[in-house]
Amino acid sequence: MSERLTLPSPAKLNLMLHILGRREDGYHELQTLFQFLDYGDELTFAVRDDGVIQLHTEFEGVPHDSNLIVKAAKKLQEQSDCSLGIDIWIDKILPMGGGIGGGSSNAATTLLGLNHLWQLGWDEDRLAALGLTLGADVPVFVRGHAAFAEGVGEKLTPVEPEEPWYVVLVPQVSVSTAEIFSDRLLTRNSSPIKVRPVPKGNSRNDCLPVVARRYPEVRNALNLLGKFTEAKLTGTGSCVFGGFPSKAEADKVSALLTETLTGFVAKGSNVSMLHRKLQSLL
């Protein structure tokens, strides 16, 4: 079999992140606002008829069968009772441990891509439910629309925030999410807010003070970007971002900052580029 498909795997930003409390299962009750970027990895799939699932791109420190891409493919294969296999390659540009959803996005692109190639006919709800077993951020990538999220991030309400251009800085440090969420100084008692719209002044990230204290590289990026716009942390970081009304302004600031820091410019998007590509295939 030779059918091939190349799909984007976009980054996301958390435009705000409030922590309401710790649950009995150890997870935290959150409220967050997800928006996609027109920037991300690219996955290529080729169907095979022997049932083998093979990721051909190696990730340092991540065994083949532990990669979320492989886990997603195997779970979908098992639960759909599909006899087909897949070869997968990835052009990886999103940083690992950056808070912009690289692994979760890769898993979602795999689920949607294989659902299409294997002609399974699964609907979005079923794919999102399977995605949740892989990670709390996978469902928003499966659904592909900017969303206000509650619970551990899986209860999604579609929203339409503004779509500015963003400068995203990538400090060369990997932040441990578990470490941040176990920090005794982390705010865990934010008051819930109503979804439409997220009120002005509620765009903070409750993880930011802890991350900035523990990681000077992140603190430095926040301070530098903060000279030009409101600088925010996405997820538990390490990536830092700020919005601009035009590409020209974002490019200008990025050029100044990326002389010493790694970063990129990308357009915010309320419909993910993965879903726009899939729609074009129908």
Side-chain angles (χ1 to χ4, degrees):
M1 303 189 69
S2 60
E3 189 174 0
R4 279 179 174 250
L5 178 65
T6 297
L7 292 173
S9 182
K12 61 82 177 168
L13 295 176
N14 297 89
L15 302 185
M16 48 76 69
L17 175 59
H18 296 180
I19 303 170
L20 311 187
R22 196 201 296 260
R23 307 184 338 173
E24 288 183 6
D25 60 8
Y27 287 96
H28 285 76
E29 200 74 25
L30 308 174
Q31 287 187 323
T32 190
L33 188 60
F34 288 113
Q35 187 177 49
F36 302 101
L37 296 177
D38 281 350
Y39 183 89
D41 301 332
E42 201 168 66
L43 277 75
T44 297
F45 304 94
V47 177
R48 47 193 296 167
D49 56 11
D50 59 2
V52 171
I53 289 167
Q54 182 66 48
L55 174 62
H56 293 275
T57 310
E58 292 185 5
F59 287 73
E60 190 177 339
V62 182
H64 178 272
D65 288 357
S66 298
N67 193 296
L68 271 181
I69 296 169
V70 176
K71 285 184 172 182
K74 287 188 172 179
K75 278 205 170 190
L76 185 61
Q77 185 187 54
E78 289 164 10
Q79 295 197 16
S80 64
D81 205 23
C82 181
S83 62
L84 297 173
I86 202 78
D87 287 311
I88 309 171
W89 297 263
I90 179 168
D91 180 9
K92 188 76 182 163
I93 63 169
L94 297 180
M96 295 171 73
I100 54 178
S104 297
S105 181
N106 293 166
T109 294
T110 300
L111 293 176
L112 289 161
L114 298 192
N115 183 53
H116 177 84
L117 283 171
W118 289 345
Q119 299 180 353
L120 302 178
W122 280 33
D123 64 20
E124 211 171 77
D125 289 344
R126 199 172 175 191
L127 288 167
L130 175 56
L132 183 59
T133 68
L134 296 161
D137 286 354
V138 179
V140 74
F141 286 106
V142 168
R143 296 192 182 279
H145 200 286
F148 182 78
E150 300 175 274
V152 295
E154 85 287 6
K155 299 172 189 171
L156 301 169
T157 304
V159 290
E160 298 285 344
E162 293 177 6
E163 298 175 313
W165 285 87
Y166 292 106
V167 171
V168 182
L169 299 179
V170 187
Q172 297 305 291
V173 60
S174 184
V175 175
S176 164
T177 298
E179 182 185 287
I180 301 306
F181 274 101
S182 62
D183 191 295
R184 62 185 180 81
L185 296 180
L186 181 69
T187 297
R188 294 186 175 85
N189 59 353
S190 283
S191 300
I193 59 174
K194 292 184 178 175
V195 46
R196 295 173 193 266
V198 173
K200 293 283 186 191
N202 276 288
S203 63
R204 73 180 184 279
N205 181 335
D206 285 340
C207 297
L208 188 150
V210 172
V211 176
R213 189 185 82 245
R214 284 175 169 264
Y215 294 90
E217 300 92 340
V218 176
R219 188 166 66 243
N220 180 51
L222 285 162
N223 289 339
L224 290 172
L225 185 57
K227 293 176 181 177
F228 302 95
T229 186
E230 183 185 2
K232 301 180 183 181
L233 182 76
T234 177
T236 54
S238 61
C239 289
V240 167
F241 68 96
F244 294 86
S246 70
K247 184 176 187 297
E249 288 183 57
D251 282 341
K252 186 177 176 183
V253 171
S254 178
L256 292 170
L257 296 178
T258 53
E259 288 180 8
T260 54
L261 290 165
T262 303
F264 60 88
V265 169
K267 182 84 165 66
S269 181
N270 293 335
V271 177
S272 90
M273 58 182 184
L274 168 62
H275 283 69
R276 300 200 304 268
K277 176 69 181 278
L278 287 169
Q279 280 296 118
S280 74
L281 300 175
L282 298 179

